[in-house]
């Protein structure tokens, strides 16, 4: 099974991203856009794991989430990995308050303690919007223009979810294996 930990995108931020995706899908950009149903902020990707590891992963996620309250988050512009000059993954940024960074760090350290390598790159919270098709490029000004289509919607993250990702011909589908409430 393929597992990752994330925060569902809800409320005004979800509506804003879905509206943005609607506009982006009307462009002729060579991009595979994500499904609206799966909008989330990934915090820790475990990858393919055997079912026997599920219990220890759930325990690490529970431990990381202990004492974490609801998080006030805000959309924060568009960007791309590895860079806007050579975009492969297009994303909407999320402003990272200290509580989110602490939760990310706990998940990284908890994952490392049970045998999963840390990310190794600086934490850049984001919601993936799409992936540029292999062999294609986007002009940097296109992403800059699309950035003006996104408003800085806010939302309160009240849930931490261990997702299972099932790859299908229509794109990945996500199901919750564990869902923790982040109390207000």
């Amino acid at each position: 099974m393929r597992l990752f930990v994330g925060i569902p995108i809800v409320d005004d931020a979800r509506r804003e991203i879905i509206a943005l995706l609607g506009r982006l899908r009307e462009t002729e950009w060579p991009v595979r856009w994500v499904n609206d149903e799966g909008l989330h902020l990934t915090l820790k990707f475990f990858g393919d794991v055997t079912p026997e590891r599920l219990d220890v992963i759930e325990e690490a996620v529970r431990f990381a989430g202990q004492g974490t309250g609801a998080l006030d988050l805000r959309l924060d512009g568009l960007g791309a990995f590895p860079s806007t000059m050579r975009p492969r993954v297009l994303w909407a940024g999320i402003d990272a308050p200290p509580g989110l960074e602490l939760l990310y760090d706990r998940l990284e350290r908890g994952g490392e303690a049970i045998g999963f390598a840390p990310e190794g790159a600086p934490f850049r919270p984001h919601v993936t919007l799409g992936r540029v098709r292999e062999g294609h490029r986007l002009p940097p000004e296109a992403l800059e223009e699309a950035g003006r289509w996104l408003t800085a919607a806010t939302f309160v993250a009240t849930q931490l979810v261990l997702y299972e990702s099932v790859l299908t011909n229509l794109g990945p589908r996500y199901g919750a294996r564990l869902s923790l409430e982040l109390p207000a």
Side-chain angles (χ1 to χ4, degrees), residues 113-142:
I114 60 173
F116 293 92
E119 180 66 31
F123 180 45
R124 179 61 176 116
H126 66 278
V127 178
T128 298
L129 301 175
R131 290 171 176 74
V132 178
R133 294 183 191 280
E134 194 67 36
H136 293 275
R137 296 183 70 91
L138 287 181
E141 62 274 6

Side-chain angles (χ1 to χ4, degrees), residues 52 76 85-86 125 149 163:
E52 296 80 26
D76 188 24
M85 295 305 291
R86 293 179 302 125
W149 300 343
Y163 289 101

Side-chain angles (χ1 to χ4, degrees), residues 31-111:
V31 175
R32 287 184 315 275
W33 302 108
V34 300
N35 296 317
D36 295 350
E37 311 81 52
L39 295 175
H40 65 274
L41 159 62
T42 299
L43 293 174
K44 176 67 180 166
F45 185 71
F46 291 104
D48 289 318
V49 299
T50 61
E52 296 80 26
R53 305 272 337 252
L54 183 59
D55 286 344
V56 72
I57 291 169
E58 286 180 349
E59 184 179 329
V61 172
R62 279 189 185 95
F63 185 77
Q66 281 181 350
T68 301
L71 299 165
D72 292 320
L73 302 177
R74 179 178 57 85
L75 295 179
D76 188 24
L78 295 186
F81 292 132
S83 72
T84 55
M85 295 305 291
R86 293 179 302 125
R88 298 294 310 142
V89 175
L90 307 180
W91 46 260
I94 302 282
D95 184 44
L100 182 62
E101 291 189 19
L102 178 60
L103 178 57
Y104 170 79
D105 185 62
R106 286 178 172 174
L107 287 163
E108 281 289 284
R109 286 200 260 150

Side-chain angles (χ1 to χ4, degrees), residues 13-27 29 33 36 75 77-79 91-93 127 129 143 145-151:
R14 179 178 180 74
R15 286 186 288 279
E16 181 66 26
I17 292 174
I18 288 172
L20 173 64
L21 280 167
R23 289 188 75 176
L24 291 170
R25 288 180 183 122
E26 292 174 358
T27 69
W29 295 0
W33 302 108
D36 295 350
L75 295 179
L78 295 186
W91 46 260
V127 178
L129 301 175
L143 193 58
E145 179 185 335
R148 292 189 285 273
W149 300 343
L150 182 69
T151 61

